[in-house]
C-alpha cells in the first residue's frame, strides 16, 4: 500500500492542475445539486419491528385520511387570575381562535376544547389541538405565521396563550460557537505548522470536503428522506477528521523536507507513510459509522452512512488534494522546525538540541509506566461512575428551554391536566374477525382502567368498519418517568391476555410508547453492535500493527474513554453539573441513541489516534530500535501533531454545543469530552505505559498468522528498501567511475 500511495502522492503533486480542477468541479456539481433540490424535511421516524410502529402502521391502514404523520400543535389557553375559561368572554376568544385556525390551507382539523373535553377540571386552562396535513418540517412558513398570529390575537383578549407540539419545529442552528471552534483550530494549526500558509491547507481542504459531503446530502435529502440533523452531524465529523487527516500529511511532508528530500519526493513519501495511517484510520471510522445500520433504525442508519461518506471524502482529499496544494505552495511551506518570518522564523536557535515535549513526556512514562497506567485507569474509572445512573429517553417539549413557547405550553398543560397529559398513550384494538368487536373494546377499556398509574381512559373510538378502535389513555406521571414506562408494559401484558381470550390484538403506540420502544431497541442492539464494530476494527488493526496485544489494548482503552465520556454526559445533562456553563437549561434523561452513537463515532476517532501514534512507534521498532526507545522516538515525531489534532477535534465538536437542537448539543459535548479523555489520557498516557510494560511482547504475532496476513506496509518499509536499493546503485556507479579513473 505504501508504494501505491507514494506514487499517488507524487502524481497529485505533479498533476496538481488536474487534481485541483477535479475537486473544484466535484464541489461545484454537488453545490448545483443542492441548490436545485427541495429543502430537507424531518426524516420519517420509523422503528421497524416494534409494537409502537406496528400500531402506527395499523392506524394509517384502518383510519385513512387522519394525517397520522402530520404536524400537530396544541394551543394552550390560561385564564387570568380569578377567571375561568368557561366565562363568556374567554370562551368567545377561544372560539374565535379555533375558527381562525380552521381556515388554514394545510390544516386537517381543529378540535374545539369545549366539545372535545379540552377544559381542565378547575376551569383555569383549556387547549385546542390542531392537526396538519404535512409533517412539521414541511409546513409552509405561512402556516406557522398563521398559528402564531391566532395565538397573538387570543393574547390581546387578556388570555395567556402558548403553543406546543412540532408545528413550530425549526431546522436546528449551530450558533456562532461553531465559528469559534474553527477559529481555535486555525490557531492550533498555525502554532503546530509554523506557517500561515501551511496552516491554511488543512482548513481549506476540510471545508472543501465538508462542502462536497453536505451539498451531496442536501441534494439527496428529499429523495432519500434524510433528516435536517443528518447534514449537521456529517459536517461535525467530516470537519474534524478532515482537518486532522490533512494535518498529518502536511506534518509528514515537512518532516520529509527536513531530511533533505526534494518537494515532489517529500509529497510522495508523506502520502506513502502518513497517508497509509490516514487510510486505515478512516476505515475504522467508516466501519463504526456504517455499523450503526445493525440497530435497524432507518434514521440512525442514514445518519451513519451520510457521515461515513463525508469521512471517505476527507480521506481521498488528504491523499490527493493536499499534495496538489503543496505543489502550488512550493517553498512557502517550510521544513519541520522552521517557521515563516511572520511567526519568528530565521532567528537563531538557542536550544536546537533540546528534546521536545513529546520526547520528555514519553521518557517520563517509560521510566514510571505502572504509576502512569494506574493513575490513568483510576481517573477514567472515577469519571465513568455517573454512567451507572444513566437514564435514557427521547427529547420532548419538557426538555426545551423555559424561554420557548413549547416549554411554557408543556408546563401549562401539566399544571392544568396533570403531568401525564403531555404524554398520552394510544391503545389500538384490532378486533377484526371477532364475533363482538364492541365487547372487546369495552373489555380492553375496563382492564386498562384497573391498572395503576392511570388517570383517565377515553371511550373507544372505532373506525368506519367498526372492527378497530383507538383508546386514549392518560398516565399519572410525566412521559419520561419510570412509572409511565411500567404502565406501557402493564397495558401490553393485559393486551396479551385479551388476545389469548378473544384473538384481538391490543397495541400501544403514541410518542411516549415509541420513545420507550426506541430505548429498548437501542439497548438490545448495543452489545451486537459493539461485537461487530470492535471485532472488525480489531481484525483491521491486527493487519496494520501485525500484533495481537496492541489492538487488544486499543479496544480496552476505547471502552475506558467512552464509559468516562458517558459519565460526563450524565453528570452534565442528567445531574446538572456545570449545566450553566454548558448552556443546559433543562436536565433530564439522556437521548436514547446517545450511547450507541457515541460508541460508534468515538471508537472510530479513538482508533485514529491509535493508528497515527502507534504506527510511528512501530516504524521505529521495525527499523531496529528497542521497544522503550521506539516509544520515545514515536512520541518525538508524532506527539505534537496528535496533540494538535486532538485539540482541533475538541474545538470543532465543542462548537456544536451552541446548537439550538438538544440532540446536536448533547452529541457535540459527548464527542468533545470523549476525544479529550481518549487522546490525552488513553493514547498519550495509558498506551505508552502499556507498551513500556509489555516490551517486545507487544509486537508478538503467531508465525502462522504472520504468514497468513497481507503485508499492508503502513510504516513504509518498502520505501526504505527502495532507498537502500537506490543508495546501493549510487555506490556501484561511484565504484565504476573510480575503476574507470
Amino acid at each position: 500500500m505504501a508504494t501505491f500511495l507514494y506514487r499517488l502522492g507524487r502524481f497529485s503533486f505533479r498533476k496538481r492542475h488536474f487534481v485541483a480542477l477535479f475537486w473544484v468541479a466535484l464541489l461545484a456539481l454537488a453545490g448545483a445539486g443542492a441548490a436545485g433540490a427541495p429543502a430537507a424535511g424531518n426524516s420519517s421516524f420509523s422503528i421497524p419491528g416494534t409494537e409502537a410502529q406496528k400500531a402506527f402502521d395499523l392506524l394509517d391502514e384502518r383510519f385513512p385520511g387522519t394525517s397520522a404523520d402530520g404536524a400537530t400543535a396544541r394551543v394552550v389557553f390560561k385564564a387570568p387570575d380569578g377567571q375561568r375559561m368557561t366565562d363568556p368572554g374567554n370562551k368567545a376568544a377561544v372560539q374565535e381562535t379555533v375558527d381562525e385556525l380552521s381556515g388554514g390551507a394545510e390544516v386537517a382539523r381543529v378540535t374545539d376544547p369545549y366539545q372535545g373535553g379540552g377544559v381542565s377540571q378547575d376551569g383555569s386552562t383549556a387547549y385546542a389541538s390542531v392537526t396538519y396535513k404535512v409533517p412539521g418540517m414541511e409546513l409552509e412558513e405561512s402556516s406557522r405565521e398563521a398559528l402564531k398570529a391566532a395565538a397573538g390575537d387570543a393574547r390581546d383578549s387578556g388570555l395567556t396563550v402558548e403553543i406546543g407540539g412540532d408545528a413550530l419545529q425549526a431546522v436546528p442552528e449551530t450558533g456562532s460557537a461553531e465559528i469559534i471552534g474553527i477559529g481555535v483550530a486555525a490557531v492550533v494549526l498555525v502554532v503546530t505548522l509554523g506557517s500561515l500558509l501551511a496552516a491554511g491547507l488543512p482548513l481549506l481542504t476540510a471545508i472543501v470536503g465538508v462542502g462536497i459531503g453536505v451539498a451531496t446530502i442536501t441534494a439527496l435529502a428529499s429523495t432519500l428522506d434524510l433528516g435536517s440533523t443528518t447534514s449537521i452531524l456529517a459536517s461535525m465529523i467530516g470537519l474534524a477528521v478532515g482537518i486532522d487527516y490533512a494535518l498529518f500529511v502536511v506534518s509528514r511532508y515537512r518532516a520529509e523536507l527536513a531530511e533533505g528530500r526534494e518537494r515532489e519526493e517529500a509529497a510522495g513519501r508523506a502520502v506513502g507513510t502518513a497517508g497509509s495511517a490516514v487510510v486505515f484510520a478512516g476505515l475504522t471510522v467508516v466501519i463504526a459509522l456504517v455499523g450503526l445500520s445493525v440497530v435497524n433504525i432507518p434514521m440512525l442508519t442514514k445518519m451513519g452512512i451520510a457521515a461515513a461518506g463525508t469521512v471517505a471524502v476527507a480521506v481521498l482529499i488528504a491523499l490527493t488534494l493536499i499534495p496538489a496544494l503543496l505543489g502550488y505552495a512550493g517553498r512557502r511551506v517550510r521544513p519541520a522546525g522552521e517557521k515563516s518570518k511572520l511567526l519568528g522564523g530565521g532567528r537563531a536557535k538557542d536550544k536546537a538540541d533540546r528534546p521536545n515535549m513529546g520526547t520528555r513526556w514519553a521518557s517520563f512514562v517509560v521510566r514510571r509506566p505502572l504509576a502512569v497506567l494506574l493513575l490513568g485507569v483510576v481517573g477514567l474509572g472515577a469519571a465513568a461512575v455517573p454512567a451507572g445512573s444513566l437514564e435514557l429517553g427521547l427529547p420532548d417539549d419538557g426538555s426545551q428551554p423555559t424561554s420557548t413557547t413549547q416549554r411554557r405550553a408543556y408546563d401549562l398543560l401539566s399544571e392544568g391536566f396533570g403531568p401525564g397529559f403531555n404524554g398520552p398513550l394510544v391503545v389500538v384494538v384490532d378486533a377484526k374477525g371477532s364475533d363482538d368487536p364492541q365487547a372487546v373494546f369495552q373489555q380492553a377499556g375496563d382492564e386498562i382502567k384497573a391498572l395503576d398509574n392511570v388517570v383517565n381512559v377515553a371511550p373507544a373510538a372505532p373506525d368506519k368498519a367498526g372492527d378497530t378502535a383507538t383508546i386514549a389513555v392518560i398516565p399519572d406521571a410525566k412521559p419520561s418517568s419510570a412509572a409511565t414506562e411500567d404502565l406501557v408494559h402493564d397495558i401490553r401484558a393485559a393486551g396479551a391476555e385479551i388476545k389469548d381470550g378473544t384473538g384481538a390484538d391490543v397495541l400501544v403506540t403514541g410518542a411516549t410508547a415509541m420513545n420507550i420502544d426506541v430505548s429498548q431497541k437501542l439497548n438490545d442492539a448495543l452489545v451486537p453492535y459493539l461485537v461487530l464494530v470492535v471485532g472488525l476494527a480489531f481484525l483491521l488493526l491486527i493487519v496494520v500493527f501485525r500484533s495481537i496485544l496492541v489492538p487488544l489494548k486499543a479496544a480496552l482503552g476505547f471502552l475506558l474513554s467512552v464509559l468516562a465520556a458517558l459519565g460526563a454526559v450524565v453528570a452534565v445533562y442528567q445531574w446538572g453539573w456545570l449545566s450553566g456553563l454548558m448552556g443546559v437549561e433543562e436536565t433530564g434523561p439522556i437521548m436514547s441513541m446517545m450511547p450507541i452513537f457515541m460508541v460508534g463515532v468515538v471508537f472510530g476517532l479513538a482508533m485514529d489516534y491509535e493508528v497515527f501514534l502507534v504506527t510511528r512507534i512501530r516504524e521505529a521498532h521495525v527499523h531496529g530500535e528497542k521497544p522503550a526507545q521506539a516509544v520515545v522516538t514515536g512520541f518525538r515525531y508524532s506527539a505534537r501533531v496528535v496533540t494538535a489534532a486532538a485539540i482541533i477535534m475538541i474545538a470543532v465538536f465543542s462548537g456544536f454545543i451552541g446548537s439550538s437542537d438538544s440532540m446536536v448539543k448533547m452529541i457535540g459535548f459527548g464527542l468533545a469530552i470523549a476525544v479529550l479523555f481518549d487522546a490525552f489520557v488513553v493514547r498519550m498516557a495509558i498506551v505508552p505505559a502499556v507498551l513500556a510494560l509489555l516490551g517486545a511482547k507487544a509486537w508478538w504475532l503467531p508465525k502462522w498468522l504472520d504468514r497468513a496476513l497481507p503485508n499492508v506496509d503502513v510504516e513504509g518499509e518498502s520505501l526504505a528498501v527502495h532507498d537502500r536499493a537506490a543508495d546501493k546503485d549510487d555506490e556501484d556507479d561511484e565504484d565504476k567511475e573510480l575503476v574507470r579513473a
Side-chain angles (χ1 to χ4, degrees):
M1 174 177 283
T3 304
F4 169 76
L5 293 177
Y6 165 77
R7 291 171 180 166
L8 178 62
R10 294 194 63 168
F11 170 83
S12 300
F13 188 95
R14 272 196 321 273
K15 305 293 184 181
R16 46 188 172 272
H17 301 312
F18 169 77
V19 173
L21 182 62
F22 170 80
W23 285 109
V24 169
L26 196 58
L27 178 61
L29 184 63
N42 209 18
S43 180
S44 56
F45 193 78
S46 62
I47 314 296
T50 62
E51 180 173 315
Q53 186 63 47
K54 182 180 177 183
F56 188 82
D57 294 340
L58 187 64
L59 284 174
D60 274 348
E61 177 188 340
R62 304 288 173 85
F63 294 84
T66 56
S67 301
D69 62 342
T72 58
R74 275 181 170 176
V75 184
V76 186
F77 308 89
K78 184 175 178 60
D81 291 341
Q83 298 184 25
R84 297 168 62 88
M85 289 306 303
T86 51
D87 292 347
N90 295 334
K91 191 172 182 179
V94 171
Q95 189 61 57
E96 184 177 341
T97 303
V98 169
D99 293 340
E100 187 176 347
L101 290 171
S102 300
E106 294 183 307
V107 174
R109 60 185 178 279
V110 181
T111 60
D112 188 322
Y114 301 102
Q115 298 178 6
V119 182
S120 63
Q121 288 186 350
D122 62 3
S124 65
T125 310
Y127 73 93
S129 294
V130 186
T131 303
Y132 291 87
K133 300 174 184 176
V134 296
M137 296 300 291
E138 296 178 16
L139 272 180
E140 295 287 344
E141 191 59 33
S142 58
S143 296
R144 292 194 179 94
E145 291 301 324
L147 178 61
K148 294 176 185 177
D153 292 342
R155 289 191 190 100
D156 292 340
S157 67
L159 298 174
T160 299
V161 186
E162 304 295 346
I163 306 170
D166 63 351
L168 294 183
Q169 184 177 7
V171 176
E173 298 175 356
T174 55
S176 59
E178 181 185 355
I179 305 301
I180 297 174
I182 295 176
V184 172
V187 172
V188 173
L189 286 170
V190 171
V191 173
T192 304
L193 299 176
S195 163
L196 292 175
L197 180 62
L201 295 182
L203 281 175
L204 174 62
T205 55
I207 291 170
V208 170
V210 169
I212 292 172
V214 171
T216 303
I217 291 169
T218 304
L220 299 175
S222 179
T223 304
L224 301 181
D225 191 25
L226 303 177
S228 56
T229 56
T230 302
S231 60
I232 293 178
L233 296 174
S235 65
M236 178 194 302
I237 296 169
L239 190 62
V241 300
I243 294 174
D244 278 6
Y245 294 166
L247 169 62
F248 280 104
V249 175
V250 173
S251 298
R252 188 59 184 253
Y253 172 77
R254 296 178 71 235
E256 296 292 337
L257 288 179
E259 293 182 7
R261 304 192 191 280
E262 293 296 327
R263 294 188 177 274
E264 182 179 329
E265 178 70 10
R269 288 181 173 276
V271 176
T273 51
S276 297
V278 166
V279 168
F280 282 98
L283 271 177
T284 59
V285 179
V286 169
I287 287 172
L289 291 170
V290 174
L292 290 170
S293 58
V294 303
V295 184
N296 197 26
I297 295 180
M299 183 184 76
L300 197 58
T301 299
K302 293 170 185 176
M303 287 167 55
I305 292 175
T310 307
V311 171
V313 171
V315 171
L316 294 174
I317 282 180
L319 300 178
T320 58
L321 186 57
I322 281 291
L325 294 180
L326 289 172
Y328 284 117
R331 297 186 180 278
R332 284 169 290 183
V333 174
R334 299 172 179 268
E338 294 186 18
K339 295 181 180 180
S340 65
K341 292 182 179 180
L342 183 64
L343 298 173
R347 298 176 185 172
K349 296 181 181 179
D350 298 329
K351 301 177 180 179
D353 297 329
R354 181 182 178 184
N356 63 18
M357 181 65 74
T359 302
R360 296 197 297 274
W361 170 250
S363 300
F364 169 78
V365 174
V366 167
R367 288 196 304 270
R368 298 175 178 81
L370 189 59
V372 172
L373 176 62
L374 291 176
L375 184 62
V377 171
V378 171
L380 290 179
V385 168
S389 303
L390 179 68
E391 296 177 9
L392 298 177
L394 287 179
D396 56 17
D397 284 349
S399 61
Q400 296 271 6
T402 52
S403 58
T404 62
T405 185
Q406 293 96 325
R407 173 59 189 277
R408 291 196 294 266
Y410 181 98
D411 292 341
L412 286 176
L413 288 172
S414 295
E415 294 168 6
F417 297 89
F421 195 80
N422 282 293
L425 305 175
V426 179
V427 179
V428 183
V429 183
D430 181 8
K432 193 172 186 177
S434 174
D435 295 334
D436 190 356
Q438 192 60 45
V440 175
F441 301 155
Q442 186 64 42
Q443 179 186 352
D446 292 342
E447 293 199 18
I448 293 171
K449 287 178 183 177
L451 297 174
D452 295 334
N453 300 318
V454 174
V455 171
N456 183 55
V457 178
D463 63 350
K464 291 182 179 179
D467 55 19
T468 306
T470 59
I471 302 174
V473 180
I474 305 298
D476 184 42
K478 63 181 182 179
S480 59
S481 67
T484 300
E485 183 175 349
D486 291 340
L487 175 60
V488 170
H489 294 313
D490 290 343
I491 295 174
R492 287 173 174 170
E497 295 178 3
I498 293 173
K499 182 178 177 68
D500 292 339
T502 65
D505 282 325
V506 179
L507 309 172
V508 185
T509 189
T512 302
M514 185 71 81
N515 290 354
I516 292 170
D517 286 353
V518 169
S519 298
Q520 187 61 50
K521 193 175 182 71
L522 289 167
N523 287 339
D524 293 343
L526 185 58
V527 172
Y529 175 70
L530 268 174
V531 171
L532 173 68
V533 173
V534 176
L536 287 175
F538 181 76
L539 295 176
L540 184 65
L541 292 179
I542 289 177
V543 174
V544 173
F545 296 129
R546 308 195 76 78
S547 164
I548 298 293
L549 296 179
V550 171
L552 181 61
K553 172 261 309 170
L556 293 177
F558 150 73
L559 291 176
L560 271 175
S561 57
V562 78
L563 285 174
L566 277 175
V569 170
V570 170
V572 173
Y573 289 88
Q574 187 175 309
W575 292 0
W577 293 5
L578 302 177
S579 56
L581 180 64
M582 295 298 167
V584 181
E585 296 189 33
E586 185 67 27
T587 60
I590 303 304
M591 183 182 61
S592 296
M593 64 180 65
M594 187 71 185
I596 201 164
F597 190 82
M598 273 190 64
V599 164
V601 176
V602 174
F603 181 78
L605 300 179
M607 294 307 102
D608 274 7
Y609 299 118
E610 181 75 13
V611 170
F612 290 133
L613 187 62
V614 179
T615 48
R616 262 298 197 175
I617 297 173
R618 176 169 169 75
E619 183 177 342
H621 179 67
V622 166
H623 292 164
E625 293 188 9
K626 292 182 179 180
Q629 183 57 41
V631 171
V632 176
T633 300
F635 268 68
R636 180 169 72 246
Y637 288 116
S638 60
R640 177 184 176 90
V641 180
V642 169
T643 300
I647 293 173
I648 288 168
M649 200 168 279
I650 292 168
V652 171
F653 288 149
S654 297
F656 289 85
I657 297 175
S659 172
S660 62
D661 185 271
S662 59
M663 181 176 74
V664 176
K665 181 191 292 285
M666 191 181 295
I667 288 176
F669 172 78
L671 295 183
I673 200 71
V675 170
L676 176 68
F677 288 150
D678 194 85
F680 292 104
V681 181
V682 175
R683 310 302 153 191
M684 287 293 181
I686 293 178
V687 165
V690 171
L691 290 177
L693 289 170
L694 290 175
K697 296 177 182 177
W699 309 107
W700 172 79
L701 186 69
K703 291 183 179 179
W704 64 268
L705 185 56
D706 187 37
R707 290 191 298 268
L709 291 177
N711 183 13
V712 296
D713 188 23
V714 176
E715 299 84 13
E717 178 63 18
S718 60
L719 301 182
V721 172
H722 179 270
D723 273 352
R724 290 194 291 271
D727 292 342
K728 182 67 168 58
D729 290 341
D730 290 342
E731 290 175 4
D732 290 343
D733 290 341
E734 289 176 3
D735 291 342
K736 290 176 183 178
E737 290 294 331
L738 288 172
V739 169
R740 290 194 191 100

